[in-house]
Amino acid sequence: MADHSVEITEGCRLPVLRKNQVNEDEWPLAEILSVKDILGKKLYYVHYIDFNKRLDEWVTPDRLDIKKLQFPKKEAKTPMKDGLPGSRPSSPERDVLFSNLHHVQTASATSRGKTLPTPKRKAESVSLATQVTAVTPVPSLPSSAEASQASVYPAMRDSSFSIKSRDEHEPLTSLTTNGTTSIQRHLIPPQPGRKRKSCGGTDEMVKMFQNNSPRCSTIYLLPGEDSQDSSDGIPSAPRMTGSLVSDRSHDDIVTRMKNIDCIELGRHRLKPWYFSPYPQELTSLLILYLCEFCLKYLKSLKCLQRHLTKCNLRHPPGNEIYRKGTISFFEIDGRKNKAYSQNLCLLAKCFLDHKTLYYDTDPFLFYVMTEYDSKGFHIVGYFSKEKESTEDYNVACILTLPPYQRRGYGKLLIEFSYELSKVEGKTGTPEKPLSDLGLLSYRSYWSQTILEILMDLKSENGERPQITINEISEITSVKKEDVISTLQYLNLINYYKGQYILTLSEDIVEGHERAMQKRHLRIDPKCLHFTPKDWSKRGKW
């Protein structure tokens, strides 16, 4: 369908033929990222607009709909200040520089007995702290339509609920600026002459009783006092530039394109999803060969065979800290096993778009999950974590290799990361942002873990069973913000007779039971042999 008389250049947009999930033809809009000529035949590297980058591919001209070609728009000229030609627009940095320069000039002029005209002062911006109202949002959750996109749960230090009478009650849900539904907590200003009673910090009391239907239960959330974690009452924003989070500021046409066609790892051949900074000379190979035990990259099958005669590894380097059946976990220190850690990061970058790659692996620990057979321990997936995390992150990067996806290994990696947090006596959360597949896995794990606890609650002495949000967090090692966000995502929180309650409907109970029946792989804490280290002492490194 391509018209060879029209030159298609980088930046052009047009519909491109592709097969969808049910193997039907569709013509989504795509952007041309690169053009190459092989033996007189042109190939176009396209990115499908509003599709994940892992679907980007090289296409032939016959898959392009040239009739709907959109040429790239010309960039607008630099705006002019006050309409004067050749003048640059003002910026805060230039204003500060001008102000400082003016003060220097004024001082020097005054010393000579001269005066300079004072420039008009610009209106000062109001600080963020002065604009914060009494309404503090509880972490908002993406809607179901956003399930395929990576998302960040806002960090919230104060998670207690406040109570209002029915007359004063405002709608529970409100639309935030990004279109997602969130629950808002209204802070009631203290009345003069009255002191607030301390009720144990941020513990929200949860009471549970059975409704008429044996399959449905309701949990009451009774409010506690405001959290003392934040002195100013302003929730802290999540760190968006985490240790391995890509700031996307250095993205260019090279890093937007897959550079490796195929990777052979043991008995599997993998098609990379994203760019990975392997050496330039390897990017032109049809197949990149990796040793499945040390992850060293080689340019040919003959080189790999020669390497295997010298490589003595049959498992990842490091300590085996867990084994049950054929599943094992190895702990690898990024400082002691730098070459392996760097090779692991290079492989992982082929399938992780939201993380950047650092060759300085010293501050990280890598936990590699393997499957054992007669030939050795074969890598299934891994996660990394900082030795010291100021943000309570228990995972930096997490990946299940494509041949092992949709088999329960992702949840097993997540469960193992929280088992380590339990041994450490901490609550943890994954580093944001999560990829689309990572977000779905974590949502599913959090939902199943929390519902498992709520459904196992039993009454004592005929009274309604009670539990607090803090207790759920302590039992699971899931951070309190993630617990509350999951309850919102499941739509369990309702307002009833002046109280916030959690309602477990019959559909949720049945769905949870079906999901747990499919979940055959679980971590057995008895098989974990792990002693946490105090990494604050630099000698441990």
Side-chain angles (χ1 to χ4, degrees):
M1 192 174 286
D3 184 358
H4 297 286
S5 62
V6 179
E7 183 179 2
I8 303 174
T9 59
E10 297 172 1
C12 292
R13 294 189 176 194
L14 73 172
V16 177
L17 176 64
R18 69 179 297 273
K19 298 285 186 181
N20 59 18
Q21 292 179 340
V22 292
N23 205 31
E24 295 176 348
D25 291 349
E26 62 179 4
W27 293 84
L29 185 66
E31 179 183 355
I32 305 295
L33 297 184
S34 182
V35 183
K36 68 180 180 180
D37 196 315
I38 298 180
L39 301 176
K41 186 176 181 180
K42 284 194 174 183
L43 293 177
Y44 302 91
Y45 191 85
V46 298
H47 166 65
Y48 299 103
I49 308 300
D50 297 329
F51 284 71
N52 193 284
K53 278 171 58 178
R54 62 173 167 264
L55 299 177
D56 295 1
E57 59 181 338
W58 289 99
V59 299
T60 53
D62 58 318
R63 292 174 57 182
L64 307 180
D65 185 0
I66 202 70
K67 296 177 182 177
K68 299 180 180 178
L69 179 65
Q70 303 173 15
F71 289 99
K73 297 179 181 178
K74 293 183 179 179
E75 294 184 1
K77 294 183 179 179
T78 304
M80 301 185 183
K81 182 180 178 183
D82 300 329
L84 299 177
S87 61
R88 293 168 56 195
S90 63
S91 67
E93 292 82 359
R94 294 185 68 225
D95 289 340
V96 170
L97 181 62
F98 175 77
S99 176
N100 292 339
L101 181 63
H102 172 72
H103 288 313
V104 172
Q105 291 176 343
T106 304
S108 60
T110 305
S111 64
R112 296 193 301 267
K114 298 178 182 179
T115 58
L116 293 175
T118 305
K120 292 184 180 179
R121 197 176 173 188
K122 292 198 172 188
E124 296 179 356
S125 59
V126 183
S127 66
L128 178 63
T130 60
Q131 299 180 21
V132 176
T133 63
V135 179
T136 307
V138 173
S140 60
L141 286 166
S143 62
S144 57
E146 296 172 295
S148 62
Q149 298 180 357
S151 174
V152 180
Y153 292 161
M156 184 194 69
R157 291 176 178 264
D158 191 340
S159 59
S160 60
F161 294 95
S162 65
I163 255 340
K164 301 181 87 172
S165 66
R166 270 190 95 133
D167 301 334
E168 298 173 332
H169 175 61
E170 296 179 12
L172 179 66
T173 58
S174 62
L175 197 63
T176 59
T177 54
N178 60 359
T180 61
T181 303
S182 68
I183 297 178
Q184 293 190 338
R185 179 177 57 81
H186 298 268
L187 299 177
I188 304 174
Q191 298 179 7
R194 267 182 83 184
K195 290 186 179 178
R196 302 192 68 176
K197 209 184 204 182
S198 177
C199 296
T202 58
D203 265 6
E204 297 85 23
M205 187 60 67
V206 180
K207 293 185 178 180
M208 182 175 188
F209 69 89
Q210 298 294 328
N211 281 348
N212 296 333
S213 170
R215 308 282 292 171
C216 182
S217 58
T218 304
I219 302 169
Y220 275 82
L221 292 180
L222 298 182
E225 289 299 309
D226 293 337
S227 170
Q228 303 302 318
D229 294 342
S230 177
S231 57
D232 55 4
I234 303 172
S236 62
R239 181 178 65 165
M240 291 300 296
T241 55
S243 58
L244 289 176
V245 175
S246 173
D247 61 2
R248 321 297 289 174
S249 61
H250 301 293
D251 273 6
D252 54 25
I253 197 64
V254 175
T255 59
R256 289 182 66 187
M257 294 168 51
K258 303 173 195 174
N259 58 335
I260 304 293
D261 290 330
C262 182
I263 292 176
E264 183 171 303
L265 180 68
R267 61 181 179 270
H268 301 291
R269 284 194 174 178
L270 317 177
K271 296 287 288 183
W273 296 349
Y274 307 109
F275 171 88
S276 183
Y278 278 104
Q280 181 67 31
E281 60 269 19
L282 302 178
T283 59
S284 59
L285 301 174
L286 294 177
I287 299 176
L288 176 64
Y289 296 88
L290 298 187
C291 171
E292 62 176 328
F293 299 114
C294 71
L295 302 182
K296 182 178 180 180
Y297 45 84
L298 302 119
K299 62 181 181 180
S300 69
L301 181 58
K302 189 173 182 179
C303 291
L304 175 63
Q305 292 170 344
R306 191 164 56 242
H307 166 79
L308 290 176
T309 61
K310 305 173 187 176
C311 184
N312 298 321
L313 281 178
R314 288 299 175 265
H315 59 78
N319 299 323
E320 185 179 9
I321 61 174
Y322 179 90
R323 181 188 291 185
K324 185 177 182 182
T326 59
I327 300 297
S328 293
F329 279 86
F330 291 82
E331 182 184 56
I332 293 136
D333 190 326
R335 183 184 69 84
K336 295 179 180 177
N337 300 282
K338 187 168 291 190
Y340 181 89
S341 302
Q342 290 175 353
N343 289 336
L344 179 60
C345 289
L346 282 169
L347 173 62
K349 185 62 184 70
C350 291
F351 306 99
L352 295 173
D353 184 38
H354 292 275
K355 304 294 182 181
T356 188
L357 183 76
Y358 281 111
Y359 285 98
D360 181 17
T361 58
D362 289 17
F364 296 95
L365 294 169
F366 298 84
Y367 294 90
V368 178
M369 180 170 64
T370 63
E371 202 172 49
Y372 175 76
D373 65 14
S374 58
K375 294 184 179 179
F377 295 80
H378 308 278
I379 181 172
V380 171
Y382 90 103
F383 68 88
S384 61
K385 63 185 290 187
E386 293 176 275
K387 294 175 180 175
E388 292 181 275
S389 175
T390 58
E391 307 285 342
D392 294 330
Y393 291 140
N394 64 354
V395 166
C397 290
I398 185 168
L399 170 70
T400 304
L401 291 175
Y404 298 96
Q405 291 178 359
R406 302 187 66 82
R407 291 165 58 180
Y409 289 117
K411 279 200 186 71
L412 199 66
L413 281 166
I414 296 172
E415 186 177 2
F416 189 78
S417 71
Y418 281 108
E419 284 297 329
L420 296 183
S421 295
K422 290 177 185 177
V423 176
E424 293 171 347
K426 302 176 181 177
T427 59
T429 187
E431 192 173 275
K432 313 300 188 303
L434 293 167
S435 66
D436 53 351
L437 299 178
L439 176 63
L440 292 174
S441 296
Y442 266 97
R443 271 184 181 167
S444 178
Y445 173 79
W446 288 332
S447 301
Q448 291 179 10
T449 303
I450 293 171
L451 286 173
E452 201 171 19
I453 290 175
L454 297 180
M455 291 175 62
D456 286 345
L457 289 177
K458 297 178 181 179
S459 59
E460 298 179 1
N461 302 325
E463 296 181 359
R464 299 165 185 165
Q466 299 179 358
I467 195 171
T468 65
I469 296 291
N470 277 349
E471 286 173 350
I472 295 175
S473 180
E474 289 170 6
I475 293 170
T476 61
S477 282
V478 177
K479 211 169 182 183
K480 206 160 43 172
E481 290 84 350
D482 296 329
V483 173
I484 295 173
S485 298
T486 303
L487 295 175
Q488 290 178 248
Y489 171 70
L490 294 172
N491 201 24
L492 300 184
I493 300 181
N494 295 290
Y495 194 81
Y496 178 72
K497 291 187 177 179
Q499 301 178 81
Y500 289 107
I501 63 171
L502 302 179
T503 305
L504 302 182
S505 66
E506 188 171 345
D507 291 340
I508 290 177
V509 173
E510 290 179 352
H512 172 70
E513 290 177 348
R514 285 195 303 269
M516 295 307 292
Q517 288 173 0
K518 297 178 183 177
R519 191 172 164 187
H520 304 296
L521 295 174
R522 298 298 296 268
I523 294 295
D524 186 353
K526 296 177 184 177
C527 299
L528 176 63
H529 304 282
F530 170 72
T531 303
K533 294 181 181 179
D534 183 8
W535 294 103
S536 60
K537 299 175 182 177
R538 301 291 291 186
K540 293 279 187 182
W541 286 41

